[in-house]
Amino acid sequence: MDAVLARAEQVAREDLVMFVNACFSCTGQREFYNDARGQAVSIEFLHAYILGNYRRLYARTLAAGINHFNQAQIILNLLATGKQTLAGDRREEGALIAAALRGLPPQRAFRVLEVLRERRINNRRTRAIVQEYLEGRPDLGFDAIKYRAKLRAAVAHGHLKLEGELNPFLFHGWRKRVYTTPLLEKFRQAHYDESALFELPFTVAEGLAVKHGIPRDVFLTRIEPRLTAAERLRLQGAAAREDGVTLALELGRVPLTKLALYVLSLKAEVRRERRAELHAALEQAAARTLRRASVPLGRVAAVLDNSFSASGSTEKRRRPLGVALAAHYLLAASAREYRAFWTNPVEDPLLMGARGQTDLATPLLDALDWMPHLVVVVSDGYDNDPPNAVAEVTRVFRTKLDPARRTSIVHANPVFASELHAPRGLGTLVPTVGVRDAEDLPTVLGFARFAEGAAPLSELEDYLAARVRRLLERGQRSQAPVAPQEAAEETPAAEEEE
């Protein structure tokens, strides 16, 4: 009987570790080796399986730091199956859903509300959570302009009544009256007066500019003060290439991984000319990340994959390479001593590209020879030059050279392998954890002990419970209003996880 219980606990731990890893790395989009359809089918199966067998832990995964795409799926699945919630878990589950919904980027949160209507999920708890979310928004007038169709769908679906002029604006036609709310009135005027559209959010003004026949370069120049940091980042390349417009970009505000992807999108000669500026910006972004989630480390070696598969896919262009570059800067900032070992050695990481086969064994041997306390391998896991060499290297290292495990090895994988329902690993002796961004590293390094198999299920449950408490306590403290322009930051379409 004890053996049966032990085996059941082991299976549960393995299931949950696989699911959390998938929720860090999978976004349902095409990868270098897998198409979007396979990704979607694989992650949907995992969600259904974990929801059906471990509902409490499924809900608590919302607090584990997983990506927004999977947070949204969990919220939808929990709200759709509310009748299956145990009475003792209702309060915590509802609080987790509400906190996770508040934490999503606005465009993704409003998409969740839209899907609730599409799936006809309209129970009492759903209506209460939607109402609470809308009441907590810093400026619903701004949302009514920027996310008009989605907000209208959510209000109609939940039979909600918004304050002031918002209900007439959404449902009675914006042409039928003059509004006292300045932003709503500017939206009305912008359909007739092109000067008014430059006071609207960029995504709304863009369509009206086409209607008024405003040349693209003129529009971008005049709307620039209204652009959010993410919009500036997304428009940089196309604006300069197609419209001859240079947009001012404050690199100090760009998150680390997005900044790394922006750097890699620049031509080599531009990177060379701006090397000092870009290097300083990446160092500053890494320092900002560590101020939010500090992980002081000792002697650290990073094995970083810049093989051709790191170029990603059309939907996630250069993302694996961008994560590796961002991880390089993050680990350098957090370690007392640090060295990087690339699969294709480079003199300057800022000037590199993705090329060649994936030889992880050679840089791993060089890293181990340096005798670090921790080795972090950032790779998609397709170790093919020669195949499976890392598994053999780590077997010999663990059994012959380091049986006491003085050196820890962790594999951080930004790519979800749909056929495995998990990020691809590097053998049984190296724990693999999924990541979306390099910013996930502080979280997943703490989670690696569960992926290694040494920690029991009870410790994993305690870990998730502790993260739930922190999330809910933080949510209660941080209800301060956010500037609407800042709250509406967009994620570049080609990189949206979520």
Side-chain angles (χ1 to χ4, degrees):
M1 182 61 71
D2 289 344
V4 172
L5 290 174
R7 178 56 182 158
E9 281 201 3
Q10 180 186 356
V11 169
R13 181 185 53 74
E14 291 173 352
D15 287 345
L16 291 167
V17 167
M18 177 173 64
F19 179 64
V20 173
N21 275 336
C23 287
F24 271 108
S25 57
C26 182
T27 62
Q29 295 171 306
R30 181 179 178 82
E31 300 283 6
F32 187 87
Y33 289 105
N34 298 118
D35 61 22
R37 177 60 181 162
Q39 294 273 309
V41 170
S42 183
I43 197 65
E44 285 172 12
F45 165 77
L46 273 180
H47 275 273
Y49 174 73
I50 301 298
L51 172 63
N53 289 280
Y54 314 101
R55 185 182 183 95
R56 177 187 297 169
L57 296 176
Y58 180 76
R60 288 181 172 180
T61 304
L62 285 170
I66 62 175
N67 67 40
H68 294 146
F69 170 82
N70 285 290
Q71 286 184 41
Q73 300 310 306
I74 293 174
I75 291 170
L76 289 167
N77 290 335
L78 291 175
L79 289 175
T81 59
K83 290 182 178 179
Q84 300 171 18
T85 310
L86 296 176
D89 293 339
R90 286 187 181 279
R91 182 181 296 275
E92 178 185 277
E93 186 173 295
L96 275 171
I97 294 171
L101 187 63
R102 284 195 303 270
L104 290 177
Q107 70 276 11
R108 186 160 295 284
F110 278 106
R111 176 56 184 156
V112 168
L113 304 190
E114 190 176 46
V115 174
L116 289 172
R117 184 184 188 186
E118 292 172 2
R119 296 188 186 177
R120 299 185 178 183
I121 303 169
N122 197 21
N123 50 59
R124 186 172 61 181
R125 180 171 68 168
T126 297
R127 291 193 296 273
I129 286 174
V130 171
Q131 183 171 3
E132 179 186 334
Y133 175 74
L134 296 181
E135 289 174 350
R137 293 293 298 153
D139 187 347
L140 266 181
F142 183 89
D143 295 334
I145 298 292
K146 193 173 179 70
Y147 309 108
R148 187 158 52 108
K150 292 180 174 63
L151 178 58
R152 182 172 59 231
V155 172
H157 185 55
H159 308 291
L160 305 177
K161 175 71 174 175
L162 301 182
E163 295 181 355
E165 299 176 308
L166 291 176
N167 266 67
F169 176 81
L170 291 172
F171 295 103
H172 298 162
W174 51 264
R175 293 182 181 86
K176 294 186 177 180
R177 60 187 292 175
V178 174
Y179 296 93
T180 58
T181 306
L183 192 59
L184 302 186
E185 177 60 15
K186 286 296 179 185
F187 177 80
R188 188 190 69 81
Q189 292 175 6
H191 288 76
Y192 312 107
D193 178 8
E194 68 177 55
S195 63
L197 69 85
F198 294 102
E199 299 183 48
L200 298 174
F202 166 75
T203 50
V204 178
E206 190 174 28
L208 291 171
V210 174
K211 175 183 176 181
H212 286 293
I214 301 174
R216 180 72 173 177
D217 58 337
V218 174
F219 169 69
L220 288 175
T221 301
R222 294 185 62 186
I223 199 67
E224 183 177 1
R226 303 286 298 175
L227 294 176
T228 67
E231 287 166 346
R232 289 174 187 276
L233 187 64
R234 186 176 77 239
L235 292 168
Q236 276 288 313
R241 184 173 59 252
E242 300 169 12
D243 309 305
V245 177
T246 301
L247 301 174
L249 179 62
E250 189 179 344
L251 295 180
R253 293 187 59 193
V254 182
L256 177 59
T257 301
K258 281 188 170 60
L259 180 58
L261 289 167
Y262 166 70
V263 169
L264 292 172
S265 73
L266 300 174
K267 293 181 179 179
E269 56 268 27
V270 176
R271 281 186 260 171
R272 193 173 289 108
E273 291 171 4
R274 300 175 57 189
R275 191 211 175 271
E277 174 198 1
L278 298 174
H279 175 70
L282 284 164
E283 287 188 325
Q284 292 165 10
R288 285 198 313 275
T289 300
L290 291 175
R291 282 198 296 270
R292 293 191 297 270
S294 179
V295 280
L297 302 172
R299 188 176 170 91
V300 177
V303 175
L304 303 168
D305 185 352
N306 59 342
S307 64
F308 184 62
S309 61
S311 60
S313 65
T314 53
E315 293 181 340
K316 301 175 76 172
R317 190 171 290 114
R318 292 180 291 271
R319 175 160 285 276
L321 188 62
V323 172
L325 179 60
H328 165 66
Y329 276 89
L330 187 64
L331 292 171
S334 59
R336 189 178 69 250
E337 296 179 76
Y338 173 77
R339 285 187 64 181
F341 301 86
W342 296 86
T343 55
N344 293 296
V346 293
E347 291 185 9
D348 188 344
L350 287 181
L351 303 179
M352 70 173 174
R355 59 186 177 81
Q357 296 294 313
T358 307
D359 174 14
L360 291 170
T362 300
L364 178 59
L365 285 168
D366 293 338
L368 293 173
D369 186 55
W370 187 54
M371 299 180 66
H373 301 132
L374 171 67
V375 177
V376 179
V377 182
V378 182
S379 169
D380 60 12
Y382 286 86
D383 178 29
N384 55 25
D385 187 25
N388 303 316
V390 169
E392 183 61 16
V393 168
T394 52
R395 183 191 68 79
V396 173
F397 180 71
R398 284 290 183 232
T399 56
K400 305 294 185 183
L401 303 177
D402 187 29
R405 293 180 175 262
R406 291 183 297 271
T407 296
S408 299
I409 306 174
V410 176
H411 172 210
N413 192 335
V415 176
F416 180 74
S418 57
E419 72 279 11
L420 301 176
H421 303 297
R424 182 175 294 274
L426 294 172
T428 58
L429 296 176
V430 179
T432 296
V433 288
V435 293
R436 157 74 179 171
D437 299 316
E439 291 89 326
D440 296 332
L441 277 175
T443 300
V444 299
L445 288 177
F447 186 74
R449 68 183 187 277
F450 302 113
E452 196 167 15
L457 176 62
S458 60
E459 190 175 335
L460 175 56
E461 291 173 333
D462 291 343
Y463 170 82
L464 290 176
R467 292 193 66 93
V468 166
R469 287 193 298 273
R470 287 198 294 272
L471 174 66
L472 299 183
E473 289 169 2
R474 189 167 63 245
Q476 291 170 358
R477 291 194 304 267
S478 60
Q479 296 284 341
V482 180
Q485 191 77 352
E486 179 184 344
E489 294 280 315
E490 296 280 0
T491 303
E495 298 169 5
E496 253 191 314
E497 358 176 320
E498 323 181 281

